[in-house]
Structures are given as structure tokens and as C-alpha cells.
Amino acid sequence: MNLKTVLMGAVAISALAPLALADGHSGDRGRDGQLNIIYWQAPSTLNPFLSGGTKENEAASLILESLARFNEKGEMVPWLAEDIPTVDNGAVAEDLTSITWTLKEDLQWSDGSAVTADDILFTYEYCTHPESGCASLSYFDGISGIEAVGDRGVKISFDAPKPFPYTAFVGAESPILQKAQFEDCLGARAPECTDANFGPIGTGPFKVSEFRPNDVITYVANDNFREEGKPAFATVTFKGGGDAAAAARSVLETGEFDYAWNLQLAPDVLARMEEAGKGTVVAAYGTSVERLMINQTNASPELGPEQRSVYMGGENKHPFLTDPKVGQALSMAIDRALIDEIGYGAGGQPTCNVLPAPELYASTANDGCLVQDIEGANALLDEAGWVDTNGNGVRDKDGIELSILFQTSTNAVRQDTQALIKDWWNQIGVETELRNIDASVFFGSDPGSPDTFQKFYADVEMYTNNFAGVDPEAYMGNWVCADIPGPNTQWQGNNMQRFCDPEYDALVEEMSQTSDLAKRGELAKKMNDMLVQSNSIIPLIHRGNPSAHSNTLGGVKMSDWDSEIWNIADWYRIDG
């Protein structure tokens, strides 16, 4: 199989998928008036490069766009680009060392200025600046250079053959910024540019009218949007805060809102709400995994801010969670099937993988975790020398007790899960203190807050994460040593548990240079297995993503491969 065949086999069918005109789309822009959206985790910024949080990426996706996106089927579709570059159309080099994108003609920013190749080049400079702490840095891995090709084209060169070159400027997490607005915001200045971060100028169907961090965003239709008659809505209110139950009620029972995101509620609760007849629960399945992150660094509050949960080159190890048998026992004690039954229903399934899909990349090497084994967990800890020497019910060794602070966001399902896990860990002699933090704070981007999931001032934390697109290379790159958050990165970075293994870094590097799809699948499985078997990540549930929309809202096609609301320009009001 040659390189050309490999590349075309990966994207030929999906890459050229046409953008179908949404049903009900005729008439003037803004004809359907007001649209109300509620994301009960409130966005703290509208610059996705400064936050790894889903809520920020979703809110920004109404404004900022990329060259290509992934639809509800995981198919790649051209967005700001004229088409998808391939070997066959000559836009991807035969040796896979470069890709050339071409912008659509006459694209405008919402302020009426032209979108050019310079904006793309600047965005690359912005995110790859060594002091930026860019949350999407892994999307630019392997790039050796980028240059303009006329006013509308950019050629991206790679330092080795790139079999899946569709990461930089593809998907909601890697959009294009306007150079004129952000050119004074490079490096350490990035988080200081409040006006730009709270009101980015974009190419999307809407533009910001007002942004109140951790509260509400008001958008108005972008008069310079490239598609005639879109968006159908003149204004959008994007409300943040509250909780999943209130958000679900606001769509399914009261009809106050048109769309509610991330309704992580008990399945029977959603079913009862849906009976009111005002809305419909919808779900998308992709790569979302609810997981436990096991801190590999010392999170003791007795340490100062320059040490607490700081990797320090491996010199600040956690006193007991770096013992792989402790992590293995914690995983063995968990009944994932019961968590799924109580909290997720049809919206989830137990998993032992942090990379559960697509099928090419899904490992079966860790499936033993699907069966709870309390007895085996106790025997493993006994064997490792963790025993209760003073009769207080908590195992200890060398004067260190297995006492855990377990944090997550405030959410009914997550608190139920915490309670279950606390009980199971108590049965194996592990003391557990539970803590929940308001989701807007926990997933926030404030480097001064002690309560963010990036700071990780706890022993264990729980949340869901996933990746946009269908290729996991950038996602698996999140766990290289260089992506560990810390004071030097303004606490940005995706390697939350502070895992660091040169062998893992080597696999990431190898994948970036491997063209054969089967081999890429093998490498991804090895990386997944290394992470899971290090017991620094304990996967729990492969989540479907339940949301709800009003029965008067048409055109909704949820995607779990990109921003969930990727096609909001196609939404419209159904006459009641």
C-alpha cells in the first residue's frame, strides 16, 4: 500500500461530503427572531486557545471558524476552505510532507474586512508562541513551517510525512483568529487582552453583542456571513450557570429555552421531563469518556504554590498514587456497570479505555476492568504492603495512609458516582473525602483560581473529555511530558494527571511519522494501554452526549466530533 492510497483511504469518502441545505431555509437573515440556548457550565472566555473547556469551545464556535469541520457523522466538510486538500487534487504532497489550503473567495470578518492568508499565519504564531500556554498546541505538532500562497492560500509543511494532516485549523478547537485584533496579544500577553478574548471578531453566523463571563452571552446575526439567508435567528442568548436539571426543565417542561447542553441526568428523570411534550432529548456518540485522573504529583496543602501539584521534573511525586498497584486496586474496586445503570442508561456504556473510538483505535487489552473485584483489590494491596497497622480502617505503609481527596464538578450524576466510589474504596481500606466545585469554576481558565481542574489541588478528579475530529493523534499527544500544566504555562496544558514517560513520548512521535493506517491503529492502542495500565487514568464510562431541543427548533444535527452546535447557521424555527 503506497502513501497516496493510505491518505485517500482515510478521507476520500468523508472529506468531500457536501454541505446540504437545511430544511426550512428560505427567507431573509434573522427572520426567526430570538434563539435561547442554555449551557449550565458558563463560559469564562470566548477565546478557545486560552481554555481547554468544552463550554468555551462551544460558545466560541458561533463566532470563530476553522478551515474544515466534522459533521454529525464524523465526516470532514470544507468550511472556510474551498475544498478538502487531498493527494488526488494536488493539495497534499505525494510524500505527505505538506498540505495546501485555499480560502473561499470573498470571505469577510464580521467587521467587513477581508479574511486572508495572513490571518492563518498569525493564528499559527499566536498558538505556538512559547509563552502563550495555548490549550490547542497539540494541533500544531509536527509543523516545520507555514507560508502564504497568494492572498487566500497557505502551505503547511511538516517535519516528517503526515498521514493525517487535518489537525491545524480543523475543528472547533483550532479556529482562525483575526490578526488585526490579536496581533498585540502574543505570548504572555494573551490572557491580558480582555476585549479581544471576550469579543473576538469572527467569520461565523453570529457576532458578540455582550459577554458577561461566567453568566450570559448575547449574540447578533453577522451581517457579513457568507451564506445568504443565514442564520435564521437575529439574536441568540447563551445563558450559563445553574445545573443540568434546571437546564433540562427549561427546554423540556417550561419551554423557556430552545436548546440545553450536556444533560447528565438520570435517564428516568429525562424521560419524565420529555413527557411534557415541549422538547426532545437527543444524543450524539463519539469519543467522550468519563474518567478519574490520578494525580502523579504531591497535592498536599502543606506545600507552597510553586510545589503543590507541580511536576518539577518528576521530583515531586505523589506519596502513594505513583504506586501502580494502588491505582490498579482503585480501578478494580469500581463497579462500572452500576455507575452506568444509575447515571447514564442508554447514554453510556462501561469502558476500560481513554480512547474508545473509532473502532480502528479501540483496544481490548484492558477489558478486565469491566468486572468489579473487591476481593482482588484487597489482595493486591496486601501484597504491596499496604495494610491497616493501627486499626482505624485505613491502610497505611511507612507512615503514609491511603487517604484521598476526590474532586469533581457540581453535578447530580457526578455526586452519585462519587458516593458509590467512596463506598467501594472504603471497602478496600482507602479513606476518601469528597469535594465538588461549581462547574464554571472547575472548568474555568482563571490561572489565579485554586479550584480549576488544571491546578488539580486534589488526589483524584473526575470529568469527561474527548477530541474533535476522527483521528486521535492530537488527542493522544495530550499526555506527553511537555503538556503538563504548571506555573510556567499559566496552568494551561492537557496532561492533567502529570503523567510523564519518555516511551510514551516516543510513541507519539512515531505516530506523527507513520502513514500506514493499521500501524497508526496499533500505536494508538499502545498509547491507550500505556496510559490505562499506568493507572494514572481510570476510565469509567464511554458517554453518549445527551442534550435537548425545543420541538419548535429545526435543523439540529448534533456532532460529537466537533462543536456540538457546529451547524447552528442551519437552525430555524418550526411553525407551531
Side-chain angles (χ1 to χ4, degrees):
M1 182 181 293
N2 60 38
L3 296 184
K4 176 179 175 180
T5 302
V6 169
L7 180 63
M8 293 308 296
V11 301
I13 295 175
S14 60
L16 306 180
L19 283 175
L21 188 67
D23 294 336
H25 250 298
S26 60
D28 296 334
R29 177 176 292 140
R31 63 193 171 276
D32 288 338
Q34 173 72 18
L35 175 68
N36 295 316
I37 297 174
I38 185 164
Y39 272 48
W40 54 273
Q41 294 177 13
S44 58
T45 181
L46 288 175
N47 184 346
F49 291 123
L50 297 184
S51 173
T54 301
K55 56 193 172 63
E56 281 80 19
N57 291 330
E58 301 272 322
S61 72
L62 279 69
I63 312 157
L64 299 173
E65 299 181 306
S66 50
L67 295 172
R69 304 287 293 273
F70 294 95
N71 68 14
E72 77 279 8
K73 299 177 182 178
E75 298 170 337
M76 195 187 316
V77 291
W79 214 250
L80 295 182
E82 280 189 335
D83 52 27
I84 300 296
T86 64
V87 172
D88 276 0
N89 64 27
V92 173
E94 289 277 353
D95 63 1
L96 307 185
T97 58
S98 70
I99 182 172
T100 301
W101 293 91
T102 303
L103 290 165
K104 293 176 178 176
E105 293 185 1
D106 302 322
L107 284 176
Q108 293 183 335
W109 295 104
S110 60
D111 64 1
S113 62
V115 181
T116 71
D118 284 345
D119 295 302
I120 303 175
L121 268 60
F122 170 77
T123 302
Y124 172 75
E125 180 185 7
Y126 178 92
C127 187
T128 58
H129 192 288
E131 297 178 1
S132 72
C134 180
S136 300
L137 184 60
S138 61
Y139 282 75
F140 299 90
D141 284 350
I143 294 178
S144 60
I146 179 170
E147 59 186 290
V149 181
D151 290 336
R152 295 191 295 122
V154 291
K155 180 181 179 181
I156 302 171
S157 297
F158 304 107
D159 53 20
K162 192 81 166 177
F164 195 89
Y166 310 105
T167 53
F169 313 116
V170 177
E173 296 174 18
S174 187
I176 298 170
L177 299 178
Q178 187 192 59
K179 178 180 179 180
Q181 184 181 31
F182 283 90
E183 61 185 340
D184 293 327
C185 304
L186 290 172
R189 291 204 58 200
E192 300 172 4
C193 293
T194 303
D195 289 346
N197 295 330
F198 287 4
I201 295 168
T203 56
F206 296 96
K207 58 184 181 179
V208 182
S209 174
E210 181 184 15
F211 176 53
R212 289 186 291 190
N214 301 312
D215 186 8
V216 66
I217 311 165
T218 304
Y219 305 84
V220 296
N222 175 8
D223 290 334
N224 292 308
F225 188 58
R226 59 192 173 275
E227 296 187 57
E228 185 178 351
K230 298 182 184 181
F233 293 98
T235 54
V236 178
T237 296
F238 193 109
K239 183 72 176 75
D243 56 43
R249 282 194 296 270
S250 71
V251 172
L252 298 172
E253 292 185 341
T254 70
E256 178 185 0
F257 283 85
D258 296 301
Y259 192 90
W261 162 86
N262 192 21
L263 302 182
Q264 196 181 85
L265 297 168
D268 61 318
V269 172
L270 285 176
R272 285 197 301 271
M273 291 183 183
E274 198 171 17
E275 289 173 359
K278 292 184 178 292
T280 301
V281 177
V282 289
Y285 244 99
T287 59
S288 295
V289 172
E290 184 84 353
R291 80 284 301 274
L292 302 180
M293 306 301 276
I294 310 300
N295 200 338
Q296 301 298 284
T297 60
N298 193 339
S300 171
E302 297 177 2
L303 298 176
E306 297 303 314
Q307 286 184 285
R308 189 179 184 188
S309 286
V310 179
Y311 181 62
M312 298 174 61
E315 297 300 318
N316 188 33
K317 292 183 178 181
H318 195 282
F320 58 84
L321 290 177
T322 49
D323 181 339
K325 290 188 177 180
V326 172
Q328 184 180 353
L330 295 178
S331 178
M332 292 169 65
I334 295 171
D335 186 345
R336 290 163 175 79
L338 184 58
I339 293 174
D340 182 44
E341 177 185 343
I342 291 175
Y344 298 89
Q349 56 188 16
T351 187
C352 304
N353 293 322
V354 72
L355 177 61
E359 185 176 355
L360 172 66
Y361 306 106
S363 172
T364 58
N366 310 294
D367 288 354
C369 90
L370 297 175
V371 178
Q372 184 187 40
D373 188 0
I374 295 284
E375 182 179 351
N378 276 309
L380 187 65
L381 291 173
D382 287 342
E383 177 187 330
W386 293 96
V387 295
D388 180 10
T389 62
N390 58 12
N392 68 348
V394 181
R395 293 176 180 269
D396 59 86
K397 181 180 180 181
D398 299 329
I400 298 172
E401 290 198 326
L402 295 185
S403 182
I404 285 174
L405 174 60
F406 176 13
Q407 70 179 19
T408 190
S409 61
T410 303
N411 172 300
V413 171
R414 287 198 170 121
Q415 270 67 82
D416 287 345
T417 301
Q418 279 187 304
L420 288 169
I421 290 175
K422 178 178 179 176
D423 178 62
W424 293 325
W425 286 354
N426 181 65
Q427 294 179 46
I428 63 170
V430 178
E431 180 181 52
T432 307
E433 176 186 349
L434 302 182
R435 181 174 185 236
N436 67 81
I437 302 166
D438 182 271
S440 296
V441 176
F442 185 67
F443 295 112
S445 58
D446 181 1
S449 172
D451 296 323
T452 65
F453 71 139
Q454 295 101 328
K455 280 282 182 73
F456 201 171
Y457 283 176
D459 302 298
V460 176
E461 64 184 8
M462 177 172 61
Y463 59 90
T464 286
N465 202 359
N466 59 12
F467 62 91
V470 296
D471 184 85
E473 181 178 329
Y475 175 69
M476 300 310 286
N478 287 338
W479 289 285
V480 297
C481 300
D483 213 24
I484 294 175
N488 60 317
T489 66
Q490 302 177 67
W491 296 100
Q492 294 298 316
N494 293 297
N495 190 343
M496 301 304 177
Q497 81 273 31
R498 286 62 164 159
F499 168 86
C500 184
D501 188 328
E503 292 185 15
Y504 185 90
D505 284 18
L507 289 174
V508 172
E509 177 66 19
E510 184 179 355
M511 189 173 190
S512 73
Q513 301 178 31
T514 299
S515 59
D516 182 81
L517 285 178
K519 179 63 175 175
R520 288 173 67 77
E522 292 173 8
L523 289 170
K525 290 176 183 178
K526 284 182 180 179
M527 286 185 272
N528 173 86
D529 295 346
M530 186 176 291
L531 287 168
V532 172
Q533 292 166 20
S534 76
N535 299 297
S536 66
I537 297 181
I538 299 178
L540 299 175
I541 302 294
H542 182 193
R543 287 182 56 189
N545 192 16
S547 294
H549 65 77
S550 167
N551 289 336
T552 68
L553 185 62
V556 177
K557 295 181 179 180
M558 286 179 65
S559 174
D560 210 44
W561 305 103
D562 202 288
S563 166
E564 178 174 313
I565 52 178
W566 68 285
N567 78 323
I568 194 169
D570 292 335
W571 293 8
Y572 59 91
R573 186 69 67 195
I574 299 171
D575 293 333

